[in-house]
Amino acid sequence: MRLSDLHPGQTGVITKILGHGAFRKRVMEMGFVRGREVTCILNAPLQDPIKYALMDYEVSLRRNESSMIEIMPIEDWEDHETDAEKAEHNSTSAHDENSEHAVRHDKIINVALLGNPNCGKTSLFNIVSGASEHVGNYAGVTVDAKSGHVNYKGYRINVVDLPGTYSLSAYSPEEQYVVRYLRNATPDVMINVIVASNLERNLYMTTELIDMNRPMVIALNMYDELENSGATLHYKELGKMLGVPIVPTVASEGRGIHELLDTVISVYELKHPDTRHIHVKMSQEIEDGVDVIRKDLKTEAHVPLHFATRYIAIKLLEGDPEAERMIKEVPDYAKIIDDRNRVAADIKAKIGEDVQTAIAADKYGFIQGALAETLEGNVAHEEKATKIIDTLVTNKLFGFPIFLMAMFLTFWCTFELGSYPMEWIENLVTWISGRLDAVMPEGPLKDLLLDGVIGGVGGVIVFLPNILILYFFISFMEDSGYMARVAFIMDKLMHKMGLHGKSFIPLVTGFGCNVPAIMATRIIESQSSRLITILILPFMSCSARLPIYVLLAGAFFPSHAAIVFFGLYLLGIVVAVVTARLLRRFWFKADETPFVMELPPYRVPTSKAVIRSMWSKAKQYLQKMGGLILVASIIIWALSYFPRYTLDEVPQDFRNSALEEMQAYGNDSVNAAEADQLVLHTYQQEHSILGNIGKFCEPVVRPMELGWQSCVSLIAGMAAKEVVVSTMGVLYVGDDDEAALSKRLQTPSPITGKAPFTTASALAFLVFVLLYFPCVATLTAIVRETGKWRYGLFSLFYNTILAWIMAIATFEIASLF
């Protein structure tokens, strides 16, 4: 709770000061320090300010100031401290994971990780917190804040991995998110992660964080690259110059992590000798302008509590929209903005350039001066391997063929190599099904386990190896740095599509899952390009569609499965291109946002990072099977199982019609008992709840010569695309053939003599699955990221209508051959 929440007569113990700078220093000098008791005496007649008793004297604070002081009721503090002392007494190691509940409130440190994209923040986060967030060697991997914690030397350190940004200008969604998080959450310590091999560019954001005047530690990451370059950085001296302690780290190897956590604790406890507040000096004209705005801001008591007035003043001079929103409610807002405009105009008249350019130049000048005194040698050495590889992969002749070969290799390995473990899992599922069939008595429970659970979930789990192989290749391309090159070579083509070069990274990420890919569109600065990218992302074949592709391509195109795979992915891209062009022409205006993207050096992905990424996806897939797919399979089974019928309840005309159909297709060799069971099973399915739903929707798929079962499977796919396969497993598991589902789809019905799918209908079904409405999670992500329901409805109806037209066209063309 906050100090402002205390009622008169109540006593609390101070646990944390959330303010900063002059406010923090002032209240701490007055005795507001951790562990100190403070009692609320009374509120002023208008409830503000508030009088408190502290250290045998009384002091008044405004309510907004007291809200920046965190406390704990004294009775809770006493109980908590007793538990903490016991835990500390019983603890035998510095890392005591079991004493988390006993950590005192003043022993909790909230840490925010900040830095440029591709600086290794997420790798550092994974090492510190033990989390398994994805790490990629390109900008935009972390598109939202990730949180974790570690218990270290009696402290619980909560760590938040914020999106990577090049500055705090608040023009992109990531920059807005970071600035608002720092304002609202007020972390105790900021860890600014900078790349040791690119100091000058990375330190620009550091100067902005220095302006904020918050407790900070610099993690000099990828320090091994600086060492290998032959250069020497006197980082301790640089830290003293910046007023921020610097700790060398190599996050990928876990080097320097303990030193970093020790430094965080030291800074939090105000004990580190290198911590001091400095001003990043700029030209006298700009400094005079900053002073004018600071004086205006200081008249408003609540403004300095979240950010230092110097930081806000500089951002206002730069014309930062978030800084303007921050002071929007200030009574003198109009005067502050007028003074800002006047000062900015004066500066431009005196120095001959706009303020934003001048501030950036002065800050880079400060950085160059600091590095001139502390850096020996050239750390930005030429990456020979990177240069050699780039001469091929970014070449105008070889770039596109190499990319297409890489994608074809991905799909070939996904199907061909994945077929071996897939067969092993399939045999295991068949063995388990056979054992249960042999030992369980007949009844609904047996039918539920065999037909619902194993027939549904078992039909999906066999595709786990294919998904792992697909994610292996995507992770390798991301971690190595190749994905950024793909965006580079695709920029001109993407621009012709009406998109941005950066749009390509979310589109490729969509091959894994559309939901994080939609979130990854935040790296696109242009709002119109971002919206178009979101709307065409569902056409990218996500891994959830992979089981359907593997099932039908393996059954009907066994010799050309890789080509079918590649063709489907390519068709999705073509449809996305055409849709993007139509959206740009008829819905969104022209976009001329420049393409600015870092091309990081190539790095060999660590096996640990790739395996961690694969396991993360496998765990998600298994959790989905144990949750959503299992529930959906049971529901589908129940809808197809009830109501139950006996042979006597089957109308005689239906029975006669079925027997005549069997004879017409040459299936009169079955005996009477078998024929009766086939008739009963057919009637049961067609007249079940699910059968009635399917027959109602059947006209939609009838032009592709598909039955009501396939229609029901498509509808079930709205929950998750994997459910399409599990639904087929439930609906087709009832016949006498116990072969794999792929065999059953090709096996002619004893009654009609027709197989559920033909080659042409299977191809049409695949095209429909590729293009039709996204799953619920993707639709939710579209609405959440765009902020408007109409975009979700557009994807629902446009994609489905387009899928139906394309599927019928595919069927007609395929039927000719």
Side-chain angles (χ1 to χ4, degrees):
M1 61 186 295
R2 303 297 173 88
L3 182 58
S4 57
D5 297 328
L6 279 184
H7 297 297
Q10 289 185 326
T11 299
V13 178
I14 298 170
T15 59
K16 194 171 293 182
I17 308 297
L18 300 179
H20 71 94
F23 166 78
R24 182 185 178 91
K25 187 171 185 296
R26 178 166 60 87
V27 296
M28 291 182 70
E29 287 172 348
M30 294 171 65
F32 288 87
V33 294
R34 290 195 307 273
R36 182 70 61 184
E37 292 184 16
V38 58
T39 303
C40 179
I41 302 299
L42 57 86
N43 297 323
L46 298 179
Q47 303 301 306
D48 200 9
I50 307 172
K51 183 189 289 187
Y52 298 98
L54 176 76
M55 295 173 60
D56 297 326
Y57 78 99
E58 295 180 350
V59 61
S60 66
L61 290 178
R62 287 183 176 144
R63 184 170 293 275
N64 63 336
E65 291 176 333
S66 61
S67 68
M68 300 300 292
I69 300 173
E70 199 171 89
I71 65 165
M72 179 181 286
I74 189 167
E75 57 273 14
D76 294 345
W77 171 266
E78 290 171 351
D79 294 340
H80 213 65
E81 189 161 65
T82 302
D83 290 341
E85 289 170 355
K86 290 178 181 178
E88 188 173 345
H89 178 73
N90 296 330
S91 177
T92 57
S93 66
H95 266 92
D96 184 9
E97 298 292 341
N98 296 321
S99 63
E100 176 181 330
H101 67 282
V103 177
R104 287 202 331 243
H105 201 59
D106 65 328
K107 291 283 188 178
I108 298 175
I109 307 177
N110 298 315
V111 173
L113 288 177
L114 303 104
N116 289 184
N118 196 44
C119 67
K121 281 187 307 83
T122 305
S123 295
L124 189 64
F125 172 78
N126 287 339
I127 290 291
V128 171
S129 67
S132 301
E133 293 302 329
H134 179 53
V135 180
N137 190 19
Y138 67 91
V141 174
T142 306
V143 294
D144 209 339
K146 310 293 191 303
S147 60
H149 76 274
V150 61
N151 289 347
Y152 185 79
K153 294 188 175 178
Y155 283 88
R156 175 188 168 101
I157 302 177
N158 298 321
V159 186
V160 174
D161 178 22
L162 295 172
T165 60
Y166 291 107
S167 70
L168 300 178
S169 298
Y171 290 107
S172 70
E174 289 89 348
E175 290 168 344
Q176 288 181 357
Y177 187 95
V178 169
V179 173
R180 290 173 185 176
Y181 177 87
L182 294 177
R183 183 183 73 230
N184 298 327
T186 318
D188 300 313
V189 181
M190 300 183 299
I191 297 180
N192 179 207
V193 185
I194 66 175
V195 180
S197 60
N198 198 343
L199 291 168
E200 192 170 351
R201 205 277 316 285
N202 279 249
L203 283 170
Y204 182 82
M205 184 175 171
T206 305
T207 63
E208 294 184 301
L209 294 172
I210 289 173
D211 292 335
M212 275 189 181
N213 190 18
R214 294 274 187 88
M216 180 167 61
V217 178
I218 292 176
L220 190 63
N221 201 28
M222 304 181 195
Y223 190 68
D224 54 334
E225 294 184 3
L226 185 144
E227 294 175 319
N228 295 336
S229 71
T232 302
L233 176 69
H234 302 288
Y235 60 86
K236 291 185 178 179
E237 285 73 10
L238 178 61
K240 290 176 182 178
M241 291 176 63
L242 299 176
V244 182
I246 298 178
V247 180
T249 61
V250 182
S252 60
E253 300 175 4
R255 283 172 52 187
I257 302 302
H258 289 285
E259 292 81 357
L260 180 64
L261 294 178
D262 289 338
T263 307
V264 166
I265 293 173
S266 178
V267 169
Y268 174 74
E269 293 180 340
L270 306 179
K271 294 179 180 178
H272 202 286
D274 292 345
T275 299
R276 64 189 181 95
H277 180 52
I278 69 163
H279 283 179
V280 178
K281 289 293 182 181
M282 295 172 285
S283 66
Q284 192 58 48
E285 292 82 2
I286 294 176
E287 290 291 345
D288 291 342
V290 169
D291 288 340
V292 171
I293 300 175
R294 286 184 70 190
K295 288 178 182 177
D296 288 343
L297 293 172
K298 284 185 176 180
T299 62
E300 298 296 333
H302 76 283
V303 171
L305 299 184
H306 293 288
F307 288 131
T309 53
R310 179 177 175 83
Y311 170 79
I312 300 175
I314 292 172
K315 285 299 173 187
L316 286 173
L317 267 181
E318 291 179 334
D320 184 78
E322 188 65 25
E324 293 183 14
R325 280 192 289 268
M326 208 179 299
I327 63 167
K328 193 82 171 179
E329 304 302 321
V330 170
D332 289 338
Y333 171 77
K335 179 182 181 301
I336 295 171
I337 296 301
D338 288 342
D339 287 349
R340 186 276 308 274
N341 294 338
R342 176 179 54 79
V343 167
D346 289 345
I347 294 172
K348 185 174 183 179
K350 290 178 182 178
I351 64 179
E353 61 182 351
D354 65 89
V355 180
Q356 195 170 12
T357 303
I359 289 175
D362 287 347
K363 288 197 169 187
Y364 274 115
F366 171 84
I367 294 168
Q368 288 173 349
L371 292 178
E373 296 185 32
T374 57
L375 178 63
E376 297 176 3
N378 183 16
V379 66
H381 66 287
E382 183 179 55
E383 291 279 352
K384 292 182 179 179
T386 295
K387 186 176 180 180
I388 292 171
I389 297 172
D390 273 349
T391 57
L392 290 174
V393 300
T394 62
N395 186 278
K396 62 180 180 180
L397 294 177
F398 304 118
F400 286 103
I402 290 174
F403 171 66
L404 292 175
M405 287 172 59
M407 296 308 295
F408 182 79
L409 177 65
T410 299
F411 303 141
W412 184 87
C413 291
T414 297
F415 184 82
E416 295 295 334
L417 298 183
S419 63
Y420 298 103
M422 177 182 167
E423 186 178 349
W424 303 335
I425 298 175
E426 189 176 27
N427 291 337
L428 177 62
V429 171
T430 303
W431 180 82
I432 294 173
S433 179
R435 294 295 298 170
L436 286 176
D437 187 30
V439 300
M440 290 190 69
E442 296 294 331
L445 179 60
K446 178 180 179 179
D447 294 337
L448 170 63
L449 291 176
L450 293 181
D451 302 344
V453 177
I454 297 178
V457 176
V460 176
I461 195 173
V462 297
F463 303 105
L464 179 61
N466 308 90
I467 290 173
L468 288 177
I469 293 172
L470 177 65
Y471 270 107
F472 169 81
F473 279 96
I474 292 177
S475 298
F476 187 88
M477 287 190 288
E478 290 174 344
D479 296 355
S480 65
Y482 177 63
M483 198 70 82
R485 270 68 183 185
V486 173
F488 172 76
I489 65 175
M490 294 296 292
D491 178 60
K492 188 172 183 179
L493 181 61
M494 300 297 285
H495 191 69
K496 289 183 181 295
M497 292 167 50
L499 292 174
H500 194 276
K502 287 185 179 179
S503 298
F504 195 75
I505 289 177
L507 291 176
V508 175
T509 305
F511 290 150
C513 181
N514 290 162
V515 175
I518 289 170
M519 296 174 66
T521 59
R522 296 178 191 175
I523 67 174
I524 305 169
E525 292 87 353
S526 164
Q527 179 70 1
S528 61
S529 290
R530 181 168 180 257
L531 288 173
I532 294 175
T533 306
I534 288 173
L535 292 177
I536 66 173
L537 257 167
F539 296 125
M540 300 298 105
S541 291
C542 64
S543 61
R545 295 180 176 97
L546 197 62
I548 312 170
Y549 296 171
V550 173
L551 173 68
L552 294 179
F556 295 94
F557 312 97
S559 302
H560 306 93
I563 296 175
V564 172
F565 261 56
F566 187 70
L568 287 168
Y569 279 75
L570 197 59
L571 177 61
I573 294 170
V574 170
V575 172
V577 169
V578 174
T579 301
R581 289 291 296 167
L582 292 174
L583 290 172
R584 178 63 73 186
R585 182 170 183 178
F586 296 109
W587 201 340
F588 299 99
K589 62 182 181 180
D591 176 33
E592 297 298 332
T593 305
F595 176 73
V596 181
M597 183 173 182
E598 180 186 2
L599 294 179
Y602 287 102
R603 296 187 174 97
V604 178
T606 62
S607 57
K608 185 177 181 180
V610 174
I611 292 172
R612 175 182 283 161
S613 177
M614 291 172 62
W615 166 242
S616 174
K617 302 306 176 186
K619 186 167 68 172
Q620 292 176 16
Y621 189 68
L622 292 171
Q623 287 173 343
K624 188 185 287 188
M625 283 191 299
L628 178 63
I629 295 175
L630 175 61
V631 172
S633 297
I634 292 174
I635 292 173
I636 295 294
W637 170 84
L639 292 176
S640 66
Y641 192 78
F642 297 105
R644 301 300 293 165
Y645 297 94
T646 63
L647 189 61
D648 294 336
E649 293 175 303
V650 177
Q652 190 62 41
D653 57 346
F654 180 90
R655 183 176 180 182
N656 293 338
S657 176
L659 292 173
E660 289 174 6
E661 207 166 4
M662 291 174 64
Q663 293 174 354
Y665 285 99
N667 297 320
D668 53 352
S669 59
V670 295
N671 59 45
E674 290 174 337
D676 287 343
Q677 287 301 315
L678 288 171
V679 170
L680 177 60
H681 174 71
T682 303
Y683 186 83
Q684 172 70 46
Q685 279 206 326
E686 290 188 10
H687 291 79
S688 65
I689 300 172
L690 197 64
N692 290 321
I693 296 172
K695 285 187 173 182
F696 177 78
C697 303
E698 188 177 14
V700 176
V701 297
R702 194 176 294 152
M704 295 170 270
E705 294 187 2
L706 293 171
W708 63 268
Q709 295 93 335
S710 60
C711 188
V712 170
S713 300
L714 292 169
I715 295 171
M718 191 164 192
K721 292 297 181 280
E722 299 98 333
V723 179
V724 172
V725 174
S726 62
T727 302
M728 286 184 173
V730 171
L731 294 177
Y732 290 109
V733 79
D735 56 30
D736 293 333
D737 185 8
E738 294 187 5
L741 177 59
S742 61
K743 295 292 185 183
R744 295 202 297 273
L745 296 179
Q746 303 172 75
T747 304
S749 167
I751 293 178
T752 64
K754 294 182 179 179
F757 284 81
T758 64
T759 304
S761 63
L763 196 58
F765 188 84
L766 286 171
V767 171
F768 195 93
V769 167
L770 166 69
L771 302 177
Y772 84 125
F773 55 74
C775 66
V776 171
T778 301
L779 285 172
T780 303
I782 291 173
V783 174
R784 186 177 64 239
E785 290 298 313
T786 61
K788 293 182 175 63
W789 275 99
R790 70 169 181 259
Y791 293 116
L793 293 174
F794 173 84
S795 289
L796 182 67
F797 290 106
Y798 172 79
N799 293 22
T800 305
I801 294 170
L802 181 65
W804 187 73
I805 295 171
M806 293 286 290
I808 292 176
T810 301
F811 176 78
E812 295 297 334
I813 294 171
S815 296
L816 297 176
F817 301 96

